[in-house]
């Protein structure tokens, strides 16, 4: 099981990759990339709560 800090680092790496691939964050249309959705899904499966998931999503958003 990864720590929350490790998930945030992964989110930053995903944001960097998403940006390089031309991903555009838009609240109303597809707000999250498939990669970050998979990562947060993995977190939830490992027992993290929605507050932790939100923290990782925010880290990803701020890193775009």
């Amino acid at each position: 099981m990864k720590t929350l800090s490790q998930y945030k680092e992964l989110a930053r790496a995903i944001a960097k990759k998403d940006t390089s691939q031309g991903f555009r964050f838009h609240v109303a249309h597809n707000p999250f990339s498939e990669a970050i959705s998979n990562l947060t899904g993995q977190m939830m499966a490992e027992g993290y709560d929605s507050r932790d998931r939100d923290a990782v999503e925010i880290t990803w958003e701020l890193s775009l």
Side-chain angles (χ1 to χ4, degrees):
M1 187 163 153
K2 293 179 177 71
T3 65
L4 185 57
S5 295
Q6 290 171 318
Y7 276 113
K8 286 181 178 182
E9 284 301 315
L10 287 170
R12 286 184 191 96
I14 289 170
K16 186 175 182 179
K17 183 178 178 186
D18 287 345
T19 301
S20 71
Q21 293 177 346
F23 181 84
R24 299 278 187 239
F25 177 81
H26 191 282
V27 174
H29 302 118
N30 191 25
F32 300 107
S33 71
E34 184 178 342
I36 196 67
S37 295
N38 291 341
L39 182 66
T40 56
Q42 178 184 349
M43 285 181 66
M44 298 302 283
E46 289 185 6
Y48 283 92
D49 64 17
S50 61
R51 204 173 56 224
D52 294 330
R53 181 201 61 213
D54 292 347
V56 169
E57 288 173 347
I58 288 169
T59 298
W60 173 80
E61 287 174 28
L62 294 175
S63 298
L64 288 175

